[in-house]
Amino acid sequence: MFFTYLRRELRRRRKAALVVASGLALGIALVIVVDSVSSGMGRAQDKVLQSLYGLGTDMTVTKAAQASSGSTAERPRFRFDAQDDGSEEEQSTDRVMVQGFQTLASSTVGKVAGQSGVADAVGGLSLQVVKVSGEFSRGQFKQDASGGGGGAGGAGQGGGPGGGQSPQGRVQGGGADFDVNSYSVYGTDVTEPALGPLTTSTITSGRTFKESETDAKVAVADSAYAKEKKLKTGSTVTVKDTEFEIVGIATADSGDAAANLYVPLKQAQTLGDAKDKVTTIYVKATDSQRIEGVKSAIQKNISGTTVTTSADLADTVSGSLSTASSLATGVGKWLSVVVLAAAFLVAGLLTSSAVSRRVREFGTLKALGWRSGRVTRQVIGEAVVNGLVGGVLGIALGLAGACAVTAVSPTLQAQLGGGTGGGAGGPGGLTGGGMGGPGRQAAAKTLDIALTAPVSLTTVALAVGLAVTGGLVAGGFGGWRASRLRPADALRRVE
């Protein structure tokens, strides 16, 4: 009887039911679109943060570089031997410098790993290599045509033997032609391949490090650097008179690599004269809910360090991605709440208005023996069906809107400032790409991110829940009014 009456009433009042369902559908569709766009913003921001952190990294531990005056700041110095034989042999020298931060003792990695809530911790060493190469060319002495006369008074003007005058002329030609090449090298702990800067890249050629290659003279090159220098698997590169074999080519997932070359940590420490030193410690927490607690514990127990979480780095992201994210999480969600509340209110008012027009009908049903609870359930049943219809329409509209955003894929820009806590470039003001580990570049960089709007099952479930809630809200308004009707009063009214 309930479903028969429900079906007949919905068929008879199709226009009113469609109006109620449409209002709920618009509100639900807006919620789906905003939630999907917010999810897309989250993915885009995660992609940006992956360029700052290794995958699975929850925080990094560093020590800020000490400020130094311009007169005492260390600057790279290069020394070349003189060639007495007049040859123009090419000369070159490398200067390897620890980049960005003060170094931490390798034992600090163990201290960090021992903190409560830390699942794993590994160290890395960031180096900047400046290579100067070129050649000197000897000039030619040209004697002046007017030179050679003796001086008056018997005094030799040139101070030569016997008072003779020195030949006069000038040196022509000669000089130096040197090229300066700067690139970054990152020492990574090869025994922990699942944590650290190299995890943000995919090996596209060759292989990654083996866990046994802790002190091997092998390297992995970033694909962009390898293309620039025409390197491939099996090629060799020389850093500070040490020859490394390229065993793999890595392509950064975010488009921006942490370093040009990756070498085992022990080799990097040898190159940088930084035995048992690291510049960055990558930390993975046992639980994402404990990140802030772990951060506080590390700062308390290991003095002088700076702990940076992904949330801290997210605050440094600016540009259109940050603006759009703020709109989606702030204005968008509040707009969704307002529109949804308005849709619920309109649905309730329309259902209540429909009950007012059905006073005679409900009065007759009560006179026939229907109790107030049964009348209320009938009204709520109709409203819930209207809500479910609105939910189906809303899900369809929301999916269409989300697909439209994904199809168009608007490009957003994320601007990343200099690394937090790091020095502005290396000693002497030298800078380079990928220095100091992920996200530690001295200069700002810009990433282009394509926005998508993924719709999850959770979002669809939320839409269904809102549809049912909307129906219950509307039915509650109408059912309350219907339950207050008295048969005698209702029968006296004319519809």
Side-chain angles (χ1 to χ4, degrees), residues 355-372:
V355 169
S356 298
R357 292 194 297 270
R358 298 166 64 186
V359 169
R360 186 178 180 86
E361 173 190 340
F362 290 137
T364 302
L365 291 174
K366 281 193 170 186
L368 293 175
W370 280 39
R371 294 184 178 182
S372 295

Side-chain angles (χ1 to χ4, degrees), residues 52-62 112 115-122 195-196 280-299 305-313 438 440:
L52 308 180
Y53 271 157
L55 297 177
T57 303
D58 294 316
M59 64 191 77
T60 58
V61 180
T62 56
V112 171
Q115 300 299 309
S116 176
V118 174
D120 199 3
V122 298
L195 191 61
T280 306
I281 302 174
Y282 298 87
V283 183
K284 180 177 177 61
T286 56
D287 189 340
S288 61
Q289 302 300 319
R290 303 187 63 181
I291 291 177
E292 288 301 321
V294 172
K295 175 181 178 180
S296 300
I298 293 175
Q299 289 177 326
T305 57
T306 299
V307 182
T308 308
T309 67
S310 56
D312 298 328
L313 291 176
R440 304 305 179 188

Side-chain angles (χ1 to χ4, degrees), residues 80-93:
F80 299 95
D81 295 330
Q83 301 290 338
D84 294 333
D85 56 2
S87 65
E88 298 182 358
E89 181 180 353
E90 181 175 338
Q91 301 187 63
S92 66
T93 184

Side-chain angles (χ1 to χ4, degrees), residues 50-236:
Q50 283 178 11
S51 70
L52 308 180
Y53 271 157
L55 297 177
T57 303
D58 294 316
M59 64 191 77
T60 58
V61 180
T62 56
K63 189 174 183 179
Q66 292 180 341
S68 56
S69 62
S71 58
T72 60
E74 180 186 4
R75 294 182 179 275
R77 298 176 63 87
F78 301 93
R79 182 182 180 88
F80 299 95
D81 295 330
Q83 301 290 338
D84 294 333
D85 56 2
S87 65
E88 298 182 358
E89 181 180 353
E90 181 175 338
Q91 301 187 63
S92 66
T93 184
D94 290 349
R95 177 65 187 271
V96 181
M97 300 166 289
V98 175
Q99 173 60 43
F101 302 101
Q102 285 193 60
T103 56
L104 298 166
S106 295
S107 59
T108 309
V109 178
K111 294 179 181 179
V112 171
Q115 300 299 309
S116 176
V118 174
D120 199 3
V122 298
L125 182 65
S126 178
L127 301 175
Q128 183 73 8
V129 182
V130 181
K131 183 181 183 65
V132 179
S133 58
E135 59 185 23
F136 295 100
S137 58
R138 185 183 295 273
Q140 299 293 325
F141 179 77
K142 298 289 185 180
Q143 185 175 2
D144 291 342
S146 59
Q157 296 180 1
Q165 185 180 22
S166 298
Q168 297 187 11
R170 63 181 181 275
V171 177
Q172 292 182 344
D177 183 14
F178 281 82
D179 177 61
V180 179
N181 179 29
S182 176
Y183 58 96
S184 56
V185 176
Y186 205 88
T188 182
D189 190 342
V190 299
T191 63
E192 297 283 354
L195 191 61
L198 194 53
T199 55
T200 58
S201 300
T202 302
I203 301 297
T204 52
S205 178
R207 61 173 177 86
T208 188
F209 297 109
K210 297 178 181 178
E211 294 186 18
S212 59
E213 295 176 326
T214 55
D215 200 20
K217 295 178 181 180
V218 293
V220 173
D222 173 62
S223 58
Y225 184 74
K227 182 178 181 180
E228 177 188 350
K229 300 299 180 181
K230 298 181 180 179
L231 300 175
K232 59 183 180 179
T233 303
S235 300
T236 58

